[in-house]
Amino acid sequence: MNLKALISLSFLSVFAFAQAQNNTSYWQQHVDYKMNIDMDVDNYTYTGDQELVYTNNSPDTLSQVFYHLYFNAFQPGSEMDVRSLNIKDPDGRVKDRISKLKPDEIGFIKVDKLTQNGSALTYTVAGTVLEVNLASPIAPGESTTFNMNFNGQVPVQIRRSGRNNAEGVALSMTQWYPKLAEYDFEGWHADPYIAREFHGVWGDFDVKITIDSKYTIGGTGNLQNPEIGHGYGEPGQKAIKPVKGKYTWHFVAPNVHDFAWAADPNYIHDKLTAEDGTVLHFFYKDDKEIIENWKKLQPKTADLLAYYNEHVGPYPYDQYSVIQGGDGGMEYAMCTLITGGRNLGSLIGVTAHEFAHTWFQFLMATNEQKHEWMDEGFTSYISDEAMNVVMDEKKPNPQAGNYNSYFRLATSGFEQPQTTYADRYSLNAAYGASAYSKGAVFMAQLGYIIGKENLDKTIKNYYKNWHFKHPTPNDFKREAEAVSGMQLDWYLVDWTQTTNTIDYAIKNVEEVNGKTEVTLERKGLMPMPIDFYVNATDNVNEAYYIPLRMMRADKSNPFPDMKRTQLEDWPWALPTYTFTIDKPLSEIKAMTIDAQQLMADIDRSNNTWTKQ
């Protein structure tokens, strides 16, 4: 058994253990899909049959289920359409485009027949959600089988999914099938598809796609019949012949929570085996303007994989595909769809971000509607760190851009708490800055609070304990507390559930009895521990650490070679804090709060005192 197989087996064992925890505090549902799809590439319609085995691992008896019918969003009058028409800053890719779709350009998924264990079911289509009344309730620990026949139409490419995108990719098949909604400790998550992202049930997918033989497919899963060719088969392997001008592609994806694919008759398909054995696939248009960059992207993708394996945790699947398609960059199980007509830096950058989503979403599957900042923010953090290494950017703080974006948000008057439902932000810009930038700063600033070494350990432990599960913000916080020994509820609450800001200042400096007395002021509502640095006239630096009392623990010295004095705790309710430096003011050149600028202080102009 090879290393990848051993890794996958160990991960699946952890998952199986999680599934057996019905009598403990954590449980999650399980679903297995078998689908057969027949695609008509001339009119962009398809038919499908789906067998879905659903296991109820919850302590609750379920009398109904819900499916997502995502393609229904691409119709005039849909919630996605109306929201785009009414929000002040509509997504430039959407705007009013849905409202103008003609009948042969819209998207839809129509259910023709649905049974449970052979009994016909009644159901209602409510926009992008199918509401289903069960023939028989599903008791805790029981499994049931749903069989469905459905048909769909692929919309003109507008957002993520669709046909004939701006770069000429024929089919970007994401959110394309009837997908069972998630049920967890909070209940059903039958969210309409308005703008944001997703939440899915873990399970195994067995998918057969019949399509015109000229088309090459890339996407989720491992191809079971590589003799189809198109770059999958081994050299010299005899290719199968198409039937009635079509091939049937058979993919199997173990333990994922979504399935996506893309297809085009003009794809180049390259493969690269990474150091850990993962086969990296690259699908891109045969366009001389982009080929060179896509060739250069491939070894960098292998470098990114190695970085994420080391700094988060080992990639458990056999393959990963980078596919030209969609409308920008979007992550899916075992693959990503990105636009490909980019300069090399942008191409590597978007791949770095979407590939990182494999760890912070497709292996640790947060609810992206409720905790979008964990998905986008954690991904932004780790991909920026990776780019700094893989591209040798030499940035002293790879997160500086995220801090600056957060500062603009925090002072804009439009900030909403990160607990805001992803579709409920008043502005798209506010959502973006909150989810991506403020989410990344949450992680980087946690390193300031608990120490970078503890942050790195926390990320690895988080992955070790929560891959193949659905972690919440509290689960991540508890991992950080376990590693650091600190109490961190204050940090999670203030940063994510309020719009409180951090603002500390050097209020007063004076000499008293031959020593220097410093008074600091907390001007913002959000508390923080303070790293304070003194630069003496002899250019010797010295640090002072002021713990935050409610942390109930202290971090180690971030600069072990620098003398550091630990002072008394600063209770949050006290607006000022005074301490003494054991040298006269004449011997001090400058003093600074947080010289590394890892604390998201919204006004750094008052963080430094310099001798006049």
Side-chain angles (χ1 to χ4, degrees), residues 342-390:
R342 301 164 175 263
N343 64 49
L344 181 61
S346 177
L347 189 64
I348 296 171
V350 71
T351 302
H353 181 88
E354 306 308 336
F355 197 3
H357 271 300
T358 289
W359 286 262
F360 292 119
Q361 182 50 30
F362 274 95
L363 286 167
M364 292 179 285
T366 54
N367 183 341
E368 295 176 285
Q369 286 281 354
K370 295 189 67 175
H371 312 303
E372 62 276 0
W373 60 272
M374 295 181 71
D375 160 45
E376 296 297 354
F378 290 8
T379 293
S380 295
Y381 171 82
I382 202 67
S383 60
D384 287 344
E385 296 291 316
M387 284 290 286
N388 201 43
V389 173
V390 169

Short mmCIF file of all heavy atoms in Angstrom, two decimals, residues 342-390:
data_model
loop_
_atom_site.label_atom_id
_atom_site.label_comp_id
_atom_site.label_asym_id
_atom_site.label_seq_id
_atom_site.Cartn_x
_atom_site.Cartn_y
_atom_site.Cartn_z
N ARG A 342 -4.70 35.12 -17.97
CA ARG A 342 -4.09 36.02 -16.98
C ARG A 342 -2.59 36.10 -17.20
O ARG A 342 -2.00 35.22 -17.84
CB ARG A 342 -4.32 35.48 -15.56
CG ARG A 342 -5.78 35.31 -15.15
CD ARG A 342 -5.88 34.42 -13.91
NE ARG A 342 -7.24 34.30 -13.40
CZ ARG A 342 -7.74 35.03 -12.41
NH1 ARG A 342 -6.98 35.93 -11.80
NH2 ARG A 342 -8.99 34.85 -11.99
N ASN A 343 -1.97 37.13 -16.61
CA ASN A 343 -0.51 37.12 -16.57
C ASN A 343 -0.07 36.02 -15.60
O ASN A 343 -0.87 35.51 -14.81
CB ASN A 343 0.07 38.49 -16.20
CG ASN A 343 -0.31 38.93 -14.79
OD1 ASN A 343 -0.18 38.20 -13.83
ND2 ASN A 343 -0.79 40.17 -14.67
N LEU A 344 1.20 35.66 -15.64
CA LEU A 344 1.67 34.51 -14.87
C LEU A 344 1.48 34.70 -13.37
O LEU A 344 1.02 33.78 -12.67
CB LEU A 344 3.14 34.23 -15.18
CG LEU A 344 3.74 33.01 -14.46
CD1 LEU A 344 3.01 31.74 -14.84
CD2 LEU A 344 5.24 32.89 -14.80
N GLY A 345 1.78 35.89 -12.87
CA GLY A 345 1.63 36.13 -11.44
C GLY A 345 0.20 35.96 -10.98
O GLY A 345 -0.07 35.36 -9.93
N SER A 346 -0.73 36.49 -11.76
CA SER A 346 -2.15 36.36 -11.42
C SER A 346 -2.60 34.91 -11.52
O SER A 346 -3.39 34.44 -10.69
CB SER A 346 -2.98 37.24 -12.34
OG SER A 346 -4.36 37.08 -12.09
N LEU A 347 -2.11 34.20 -12.52
CA LEU A 347 -2.49 32.80 -12.70
C LEU A 347 -2.03 31.95 -11.52
O LEU A 347 -2.79 31.11 -11.00
CB LEU A 347 -1.89 32.27 -14.01
CG LEU A 347 -2.35 30.89 -14.48
CD1 LEU A 347 -3.85 30.90 -14.81
CD2 LEU A 347 -1.54 30.44 -15.68
N ILE A 348 -0.81 32.17 -11.08
CA ILE A 348 -0.30 31.42 -9.92
C ILE A 348 -1.03 31.87 -8.66
O ILE A 348 -1.40 31.05 -7.80
CB ILE A 348 1.22 31.61 -9.77
CG1 ILE A 348 1.95 31.03 -10.98
CG2 ILE A 348 1.73 30.97 -8.47
CD1 ILE A 348 3.42 31.36 -11.04
N GLY A 349 -1.31 33.17 -8.54
CA GLY A 349 -1.97 33.69 -7.35
C GLY A 349 -3.37 33.14 -7.18
O GLY A 349 -3.76 32.75 -6.07
N VAL A 350 -4.15 33.11 -8.26
CA VAL A 350 -5.52 32.59 -8.15
C VAL A 350 -5.49 31.10 -7.86
O VAL A 350 -6.32 30.58 -7.10
CB VAL A 350 -6.35 32.93 -9.40
CG1 VAL A 350 -5.92 32.12 -10.61
CG2 VAL A 350 -7.84 32.72 -9.12
N THR A 351 -4.52 30.39 -8.44
CA THR A 351 -4.39 28.97 -8.16
C THR A 351 -4.02 28.74 -6.70
O THR A 351 -4.55 27.83 -6.05
CB THR A 351 -3.36 28.32 -9.09
OG1 THR A 351 -3.76 28.52 -10.45
CG2 THR A 351 -3.22 26.83 -8.82
N ALA A 352 -3.11 29.57 -6.18
CA ALA A 352 -2.71 29.44 -4.78
C ALA A 352 -3.91 29.57 -3.86
O ALA A 352 -4.08 28.81 -2.90
CB ALA A 352 -1.66 30.50 -4.44
N HIS A 353 -4.76 30.56 -4.14
CA HIS A 353 -5.93 30.80 -3.28
C HIS A 353 -6.94 29.66 -3.42
O HIS A 353 -7.38 29.09 -2.40
CB HIS A 353 -6.58 32.13 -3.65
CG HIS A 353 -7.77 32.47 -2.81
ND1 HIS A 353 -7.66 33.15 -1.62
CD2 HIS A 353 -9.09 32.22 -2.98
CE1 HIS A 353 -8.85 33.30 -1.09
NE2 HIS A 353 -9.74 32.74 -1.89
N GLU A 354 -7.30 29.30 -4.64
CA GLU A 354 -8.33 28.28 -4.82
C GLU A 354 -7.85 26.91 -4.35
O GLU A 354 -8.63 26.13 -3.80
CB GLU A 354 -8.79 28.23 -6.28
CG GLU A 354 -9.26 29.55 -6.87
CD GLU A 354 -10.33 30.26 -6.03
OE1 GLU A 354 -11.04 29.58 -5.26
OE2 GLU A 354 -10.44 31.48 -6.16
N PHE A 355 -6.58 26.62 -4.57
CA PHE A 355 -6.01 25.35 -4.11
C PHE A 355 -6.05 25.29 -2.58
O PHE A 355 -6.36 24.25 -1.98
CB PHE A 355 -4.59 25.21 -4.64
CG PHE A 355 -4.01 23.81 -4.61
CD1 PHE A 355 -4.76 22.73 -4.18
CD2 PHE A 355 -2.71 23.59 -5.03
CE1 PHE A 355 -4.22 21.45 -4.16
CE2 PHE A 355 -2.16 22.32 -5.02
CZ PHE A 355 -2.92 21.25 -4.58
N ALA A 356 -5.76 26.41 -1.92
CA ALA A 356 -5.78 26.45 -0.45
C ALA A 356 -7.17 26.17 0.11
O ALA A 356 -7.31 25.67 1.23
CB ALA A 356 -5.27 27.80 0.05
N HIS A 357 -8.19 26.48 -0.69
CA HIS A 357 -9.56 26.17 -0.25
C HIS A 357 -9.76 24.68 -0.06
O HIS A 357 -10.71 24.27 0.64
CB HIS A 357 -10.56 26.68 -1.28
CG HIS A 357 -11.00 28.09 -1.07
ND1 HIS A 357 -11.64 28.50 0.08
CD2 HIS A 357 -10.92 29.18 -1.86
CE1 HIS A 357 -11.94 29.79 -0.02
NE2 HIS A 357 -11.50 30.22 -1.18
N THR A 358 -8.94 23.86 -0.69
CA THR A 358 -9.05 22.43 -0.47
C THR A 358 -8.94 22.11 1.01
O THR A 358 -9.67 21.27 1.54
CB THR A 358 -7.96 21.68 -1.26
OG1 THR A 358 -8.28 21.76 -2.64
CG2 THR A 358 -7.88 20.22 -0.85
N TRP A 359 -8.04 22.77 1.70
CA TRP A 359 -7.86 22.54 3.13
C TRP A 359 -8.91 23.31 3.94
O TRP A 359 -9.60 22.72 4.77
CB TRP A 359 -6.44 22.95 3.54
CG TRP A 359 -5.41 21.97 3.09
CD1 TRP A 359 -4.84 20.97 3.83
CD2 TRP A 359 -4.83 21.86 1.78
NE1 TRP A 359 -3.95 20.25 3.07
CE2 TRP A 359 -3.91 20.78 1.81
CE3 TRP A 359 -4.99 22.57 0.59
CZ2 TRP A 359 -3.17 20.40 0.71
CZ3 TRP A 359 -4.25 22.19 -0.51
CH2 TRP A 359 -3.35 21.11 -0.46
N PHE A 360 -9.04 24.61 3.69
CA PHE A 360 -9.99 25.42 4.44
C PHE A 360 -11.31 25.54 3.68
O PHE A 360 -11.69 26.59 3.24
CB PHE A 360 -9.40 26.80 4.71
CG PHE A 360 -8.24 26.75 5.67
CD1 PHE A 360 -6.99 27.18 5.28
CD2 PHE A 360 -8.40 26.27 6.96
CE1 PHE A 360 -5.91 27.14 6.15
CE2 PHE A 360 -7.33 26.21 7.84
CZ PHE A 360 -6.08 26.64 7.43
N GLN A 361 -11.93 24.43 3.48
CA GLN A 361 -13.31 24.31 3.03
C GLN A 361 -13.60 22.91 2.56
O GLN A 361 -14.54 22.30 3.02
CB GLN A 361 -13.70 25.31 1.95
CG GLN A 361 -15.16 25.21 1.52
CD GLN A 361 -16.13 25.20 2.70
OE1 GLN A 361 -15.84 25.78 3.73
NE2 GLN A 361 -17.25 24.53 2.56
N PHE A 362 -12.79 22.38 1.66
CA PHE A 362 -13.16 21.07 1.14
C PHE A 362 -12.58 19.92 1.96
O PHE A 362 -12.88 18.76 1.69
CB PHE A 362 -12.82 20.96 -0.34
CG PHE A 362 -13.94 21.50 -1.17
CD1 PHE A 362 -13.92 22.81 -1.59
CD2 PHE A 362 -15.06 20.75 -1.42
CE1 PHE A 362 -15.00 23.35 -2.29
CE2 PHE A 362 -16.14 21.26 -2.11
CZ PHE A 362 -16.11 22.58 -2.56
N LEU A 363 -11.80 20.19 2.95
CA LEU A 363 -11.41 19.17 3.93
C LEU A 363 -11.88 19.55 5.33
O LEU A 363 -12.15 18.67 6.15
CB LEU A 363 -9.90 18.93 3.91
CG LEU A 363 -9.43 18.15 2.67
CD1 LEU A 363 -7.93 18.21 2.51
CD2 LEU A 363 -9.91 16.70 2.74
N MET A 364 -11.97 20.83 5.60
CA MET A 364 -12.60 21.30 6.84
C MET A 364 -13.78 22.15 6.41
O MET A 364 -13.64 23.33 6.10
CB MET A 364 -11.60 22.07 7.70
CG MET A 364 -10.52 21.16 8.26
SD MET A 364 -9.29 22.02 9.24
CE MET A 364 -8.33 22.82 7.95
N ALA A 365 -14.95 21.51 6.34
CA ALA A 365 -16.08 22.06 5.61
C ALA A 365 -16.95 22.93 6.51
O ALA A 365 -17.93 22.48 7.10
CB ALA A 365 -16.90 20.93 5.01
N THR A 366 -16.60 24.19 6.61
CA THR A 366 -17.42 25.13 7.36
C THR A 366 -18.66 25.49 6.57
O THR A 366 -18.72 25.33 5.35
CB THR A 366 -16.64 26.42 7.67
OG1 THR A 366 -16.14 26.96 6.43
CG2 THR A 366 -15.47 26.15 8.59
N ASN A 367 -19.66 25.99 7.27
CA ASN A 367 -20.87 26.48 6.62
C ASN A 367 -20.54 27.85 6.04
O ASN A 367 -20.43 28.84 6.77
CB ASN A 367 -22.01 26.58 7.64
CG ASN A 367 -23.32 27.03 7.02
OD1 ASN A 367 -23.35 27.60 5.92
ND2 ASN A 367 -24.41 26.78 7.72
N GLU A 368 -20.42 27.93 4.72
CA GLU A 368 -19.97 29.16 4.08
C GLU A 368 -21.03 30.26 4.10
O GLU A 368 -20.70 31.42 3.85
CB GLU A 368 -19.56 28.88 2.63
CG GLU A 368 -18.35 27.96 2.54
CD GLU A 368 -18.01 27.62 1.11
OE1 GLU A 368 -18.72 26.81 0.50
OE2 GLU A 368 -17.00 28.16 0.59
N GLN A 369 -22.27 29.92 4.37
CA GLN A 369 -23.28 30.95 4.49
C GLN A 369 -23.21 31.65 5.85
O GLN A 369 -23.49 32.84 5.95
CB GLN A 369 -24.68 30.34 4.33
CG GLN A 369 -25.04 29.97 2.90
CD GLN A 369 -25.45 31.20 2.09
OE1 GLN A 369 -25.58 32.30 2.59
NE2 GLN A 369 -25.66 31.00 0.80
N LYS A 370 -22.80 30.93 6.89
CA LYS A 370 -22.79 31.48 8.24
C LYS A 370 -21.39 31.90 8.69
O LYS A 370 -21.25 32.82 9.49
CB LYS A 370 -23.35 30.47 9.24
CG LYS A 370 -24.81 30.13 9.03
CD LYS A 370 -25.35 29.31 10.17
CE LYS A 370 -25.39 30.12 11.46
NZ LYS A 370 -26.03 29.37 12.55
N HIS A 371 -20.38 31.19 8.22
CA HIS A 371 -19.01 31.43 8.69
C HIS A 371 -18.08 31.64 7.49
O HIS A 371 -17.02 31.04 7.40
CB HIS A 371 -18.53 30.26 9.55
CG HIS A 371 -19.50 29.83 10.60
ND1 HIS A 371 -19.99 30.69 11.55
CD2 HIS A 371 -20.08 28.63 10.83
CE1 HIS A 371 -20.83 30.03 12.35
NE2 HIS A 371 -20.91 28.79 11.93
N GLU A 372 -18.51 32.52 6.60
CA GLU A 372 -17.76 32.73 5.36
C GLU A 372 -16.33 33.19 5.62
O GLU A 372 -15.42 32.93 4.83
CB GLU A 372 -18.49 33.74 4.48
CG GLU A 372 -18.66 35.13 5.06
CD GLU A 372 -19.84 35.31 5.99
OE1 GLU A 372 -20.58 34.34 6.21
OE2 GLU A 372 -20.04 36.43 6.48
N TRP A 373 -16.11 33.88 6.74
CA TRP A 373 -14.77 34.38 7.06
C TRP A 373 -13.80 33.25 7.39
O TRP A 373 -12.59 33.40 7.20
CB TRP A 373 -14.84 35.39 8.21
CG TRP A 373 -15.40 34.82 9.49
CD1 TRP A 373 -16.70 34.75 9.87
CD2 TRP A 373 -14.64 34.24 10.56
NE1 TRP A 373 -16.82 34.16 11.10
CE2 TRP A 373 -15.57 33.85 11.55
CE3 TRP A 373 -13.28 34.02 10.78
CZ2 TRP A 373 -15.18 33.24 12.75
CZ3 TRP A 373 -12.89 33.42 11.98
CH2 TRP A 373 -13.83 33.03 12.95
N MET A 374 -14.31 32.13 7.88
CA MET A 374 -13.41 30.99 8.14
C MET A 374 -12.94 30.38 6.84
O MET A 374 -11.77 29.96 6.72
CB MET A 374 -14.13 29.93 8.97
CG MET A 374 -14.51 30.36 10.37
SD MET A 374 -15.32 29.02 11.27
CE MET A 374 -13.94 27.89 11.57
N ASP A 375 -13.84 30.32 5.88
CA ASP A 375 -13.52 29.79 4.56
C ASP A 375 -12.58 30.73 3.80
O ASP A 375 -11.43 30.41 3.50
CB ASP A 375 -14.84 29.56 3.82
CG ASP A 375 -14.69 29.48 2.32
OD1 ASP A 375 -13.77 28.79 1.87
OD2 ASP A 375 -15.50 30.09 1.61
N GLU A 376 -13.05 31.94 3.53
CA GLU A 376 -12.27 32.87 2.72
C GLU A 376 -11.09 33.46 3.48
O GLU A 376 -10.01 33.67 2.91
CB GLU A 376 -13.16 33.99 2.19
CG GLU A 376 -14.26 33.53 1.25
CD GLU A 376 -13.72 32.91 -0.05
OE1 GLU A 376 -12.50 32.94 -0.27
OE2 GLU A 376 -14.55 32.41 -0.82
N GLY A 377 -11.30 33.77 4.75
CA GLY A 377 -10.23 34.41 5.51
C GLY A 377 -9.06 33.50 5.79
O GLY A 377 -7.90 33.87 5.60
N PHE A 378 -9.34 32.28 6.23
CA PHE A 378 -8.26 31.34 6.51
C PHE A 378 -7.52 30.99 5.23
O PHE A 378 -6.30 30.83 5.21
CB PHE A 378 -8.81 30.08 7.17
CG PHE A 378 -9.30 30.27 8.59
CD1 PHE A 378 -9.41 31.53 9.16
CD2 PHE A 378 -9.66 29.18 9.35
CE1 PHE A 378 -9.86 31.71 10.46
CE2 PHE A 378 -10.12 29.33 10.65
CZ PHE A 378 -10.22 30.59 11.21
N THR A 379 -8.29 30.86 4.13
CA THR A 379 -7.66 30.58 2.84
C THR A 379 -6.78 31.74 2.39
O THR A 379 -5.66 31.54 1.90
CB THR A 379 -8.74 30.30 1.79
OG1 THR A 379 -9.40 29.08 2.12
CG2 THR A 379 -8.16 30.19 0.39
N SER A 380 -7.27 32.97 2.56
CA SER A 380 -6.47 34.14 2.18
C SER A 380 -5.19 34.19 2.99
O SER A 380 -4.11 34.48 2.45
CB SER A 380 -7.28 35.42 2.39
OG SER A 380 -8.39 35.47 1.52
N TYR A 381 -5.30 33.89 4.27
CA TYR A 381 -4.11 33.91 5.13
C TYR A 381 -3.06 32.91 4.63
O TYR A 381 -1.91 33.28 4.38
CB TYR A 381 -4.49 33.59 6.57
CG TYR A 381 -3.27 33.37 7.46
CD1 TYR A 381 -2.59 34.46 8.01
CD2 TYR A 381 -2.79 32.09 7.71
CE1 TYR A 381 -1.45 34.26 8.79
CE2 TYR A 381 -1.66 31.89 8.48
CZ TYR A 381 -0.99 32.97 9.02
OH TYR A 381 0.14 32.78 9.78
N ILE A 382 -3.45 31.65 4.48
CA ILE A 382 -2.44 30.63 4.17
C ILE A 382 -1.94 30.76 2.74
O ILE A 382 -0.76 30.49 2.46
CB ILE A 382 -3.00 29.21 4.44
CG1 ILE A 382 -1.85 28.22 4.65
CG2 ILE A 382 -3.93 28.76 3.34
CD1 ILE A 382 -1.05 28.44 5.90
N SER A 383 -2.79 31.22 1.81
CA SER A 383 -2.32 31.36 0.43
C SER A 383 -1.36 32.55 0.30
O SER A 383 -0.40 32.49 -0.49
CB SER A 383 -3.49 31.50 -0.54
OG SER A 383 -4.28 32.63 -0.26
N ASP A 384 -1.58 33.62 1.07
CA ASP A 384 -0.63 34.74 1.05
C ASP A 384 0.71 34.32 1.65
O ASP A 384 1.77 34.73 1.16
CB ASP A 384 -1.20 35.92 1.83
CG ASP A 384 -2.32 36.64 1.07
OD1 ASP A 384 -2.44 36.42 -0.15
OD2 ASP A 384 -3.06 37.41 1.70
N GLU A 385 0.66 33.51 2.71
CA GLU A 385 1.91 32.99 3.28
C GLU A 385 2.62 32.09 2.27
O GLU A 385 3.85 32.16 2.13
CB GLU A 385 1.60 32.21 4.56
CG GLU A 385 1.00 33.03 5.70
CD GLU A 385 1.99 34.02 6.30
OE1 GLU A 385 3.16 33.64 6.52
OE2 GLU A 385 1.59 35.17 6.55
N ALA A 386 1.86 31.27 1.58
CA ALA A 386 2.45 30.36 0.60
C ALA A 386 3.08 31.12 -0.57
O ALA A 386 4.19 30.80 -1.01
CB ALA A 386 1.39 29.38 0.09
N MET A 387 2.37 32.12 -1.08
CA MET A 387 2.90 32.89 -2.20
C MET A 387 4.19 33.59 -1.82
O MET A 387 5.11 33.72 -2.65
CB MET A 387 1.86 33.91 -2.67
CG MET A 387 0.72 33.32 -3.47
SD MET A 387 1.23 32.77 -5.12
CE MET A 387 1.42 34.36 -5.95
N ASN A 388 4.29 34.03 -0.59
CA ASN A 388 5.50 34.72 -0.15
C ASN A 388 6.72 33.80 -0.23
O ASN A 388 7.82 34.24 -0.52
CB ASN A 388 5.32 35.22 1.28
CG ASN A 388 6.28 36.34 1.63
OD1 ASN A 388 6.51 37.25 0.83
ND2 ASN A 388 6.86 36.28 2.81
N VAL A 389 6.48 32.50 -0.02
CA VAL A 389 7.57 31.52 -0.08
C VAL A 389 7.76 31.00 -1.50
O VAL A 389 8.86 31.03 -2.05
CB VAL A 389 7.28 30.36 0.90
CG1 VAL A 389 8.31 29.24 0.72
CG2 VAL A 389 7.27 30.85 2.34
N VAL A 390 6.68 30.54 -2.11
CA VAL A 390 6.77 29.89 -3.43
C VAL A 390 7.25 30.86 -4.49
O VAL A 390 8.02 30.51 -5.38
CB VAL A 390 5.41 29.27 -3.80
CG1 VAL A 390 5.39 28.83 -5.26
CG2 VAL A 390 5.10 28.10 -2.88
#
